[in-house]
Amino acid sequence: MTLRAILGTFFHAPQQGALEALTDTLIEIDATGTIAAVIGADDPAQPAAITRYGDALLRLPEGRYILPGLVDLHVHAPQYPQLGQALDEPLEVWLQKYTFPLEARYADLDFARPRYTALVEDLLANGTTTALYFATQHTEATKLLADICIDKGQRALVGKVVMDDPAACPEFYRDASPEAAIAGTRAVIDHIRSHPANADARVLPVITPRFIPSCTDEALSALGQLAAECDCHVQTHCSESDWAHGHVLNRYGHTDAQALDSFGLLTRKSVLAHSNFLTDADMDRLVARQSAVAHCALSNIYFANAVFPLRRALEKHLHVGLGTDISGGPSASMFEACRTTVQASRLLQDGVDPTLPAANRGTPGSAIDLKTAFHLATAGGGIALDLPIGIFAPGYRFDALVIDTSAPSGSIRLFGETQPDAVFEKILYGASRANIEQVWVDGRLTGSTR
Ligand code: GUN
Ligand code: FE
């Protein structure tokens, strides 16, 4: 079903810390899925527009609220079967013991297909209309993930993972050489860009060095050149944990962000996952390059030995969005990512060691409010990716979810609340999959959601 006009109450957050409620508003959508007009309840043009659309107008019933589609800036697609498992080891052990053996199995497309299909369907049902995916090292399975996203109608950015360093990657799961890694990356870019069902470029290719510790310098510099040549998005992990951060410092004598920059991998369309140990100078460098951070608050609790200093980053005007980091974070819900973002920031602000005096325990000024977390999960993701998504305004794509606050099997209970702030808070803290009634991408309804 393709949508031309929808009437209801919309919540969005174009700015940090503020919610805008568009009550009884009509949004017109053009044939390409772009918002053509936003017509408010007190706009004299609204009655005529309602009449003009007639039966083509979707009027949402009582209890429904429309949010911008959620943007997940960091997903390891092949790790979905491992979601909610294997959280007992530190990153460097977890990769070798659980994750590389699982990812290696995606060489088999019959193994990959049902797992990637379930992931894309589930993320859409959870309200994730845009996902930035790490696939695996395999070229063919990465093409398959892109095909599934195209078929299911999810906005997605898909990258073949480059991991070519024999010192760090097991023989059963690595690129045969830097040249092979670049050839595979090029093949995936060409596949996605020339796909006959992707003429509107809803799915985009991404240059994806896994992280510096798994790549040779040859591969990293060739990928930097390719990013410039192809004008592609770039994604990688940056300064995630003490171990990962220390590895890069040892190898180059400077930080991850400096090293990535030296390889040409910090661009306007780069997204660095985690980035917990960024220095002030690293943050300034990212701001200068207009690169973004994917803040993965839940995964950071398990693997990072730190909380990302989000408030400090936002004060520097660093681009930040939120990510689940499936399966480093054991939840596939971006609502959960918002909640954990708020929770982790409170722990950073107040500290956690009760043996210390309260005044010395935390990092004052670190707290993030729910509206800012929601802004980051929607508009912030759009800014990070340089895509017109995440808010309801003319020129933006109509990517949206309809929340049914009265779904009997849902987890939101309203007792007469109608104030936008109250309803919004209940939705953000309470919504689960059963509350997500419809999911729209580019004005098209995606698969069944409950
Ligand atoms: N660093 C390199 N690979 C990974 C991964 O798969 N997950 C996380 N959390 N960090 C990584
Ligand atoms: Fe990750």
Side-chain angles (χ1 to χ4, degrees), residues 42-272:
D42 48 8
D43 187 323
Q46 200 192 74
I50 289 174
T51 310
R52 188 166 67 246
Y53 284 105
D55 288 346
L57 175 66
L58 177 64
R59 282 172 189 263
L60 290 180
E62 190 96 340
R64 271 48 168 203
Y65 295 86
I66 309 145
L67 306 181
L70 299 164
V71 181
D72 190 337
L73 273 194
H74 189 51
V75 183
H76 292 273
Q79 296 174 21
Y80 193 45
Q82 187 173 263
L83 188 82
Q85 275 186 306
L87 296 163
D88 57 331
E89 298 281 12
L91 176 64
E92 61 277 22
V93 177
W94 173 83
L95 285 172
Q96 304 287 343
K97 181 172 166 184
Y98 301 118
T99 301
F100 291 163
L102 170 60
E103 292 192 9
R105 300 189 66 182
Y106 285 72
D108 175 1
L109 297 183
D110 290 335
F111 182 87
R113 191 173 293 103
R115 289 160 181 81
Y116 279 161
T117 301
L119 171 69
V120 174
E121 287 178 353
D122 286 351
L123 289 191
L124 279 168
N126 286 342
T128 300
T129 50
T130 299
L132 176 53
Y133 286 117
F134 278 61
T136 60
Q137 175 270 324
H138 316 103
T139 303
E140 293 310 313
T142 304
K143 292 181 188 170
L144 175 66
L145 174 60
D147 292 353
I148 291 169
C149 295
I150 292 168
D151 182 49
K152 300 282 173 195
Q154 187 181 41
R155 190 179 307 289
L157 301 96
V158 178
K160 175 212 131 41
V161 174
V162 169
M163 39 191 297
D164 69 319
D165 189 344
C169 308
E171 200 186 348
F172 63 83
Y173 188 49
R174 69 171 178 247
D175 292 296
S177 63
E179 295 73 26
I182 305 310
T185 301
R186 276 189 188 279
V188 172
I189 295 170
D190 292 345
H191 176 81
I192 293 173
R193 288 190 166 168
S194 63
H195 196 296
N198 191 37
D200 47 7
R202 198 175 309 120
V203 174
L204 295 166
V206 192
I207 287 174
T208 309
R210 181 170 205 120
F211 65 158
I212 285 179
S214 66
C215 297
T216 61
D217 287 3
E218 292 75 17
L220 291 165
S221 68
L223 289 175
Q225 283 166 24
L226 192 58
E229 179 195 319
C230 297
D231 190 27
C232 278
H233 285 79
V234 174
Q235 62 181 344
T236 189
H237 296 85
C238 178
S239 291
E240 176 177 359
S241 67
D242 285 313
W243 168 77
H245 183 65
H247 175 103
V248 178
L249 282 175
N250 275 343
R251 176 158 150 188
Y252 300 110
H254 54 242
T255 63
D256 230 332
Q258 283 174 284
L260 292 169
D261 202 14
S262 72
F263 290 117
L265 291 165
L266 293 189
T267 74
R268 170 68 186 91
K269 294 200 285 188
S270 297
V271 177
L272 311 184

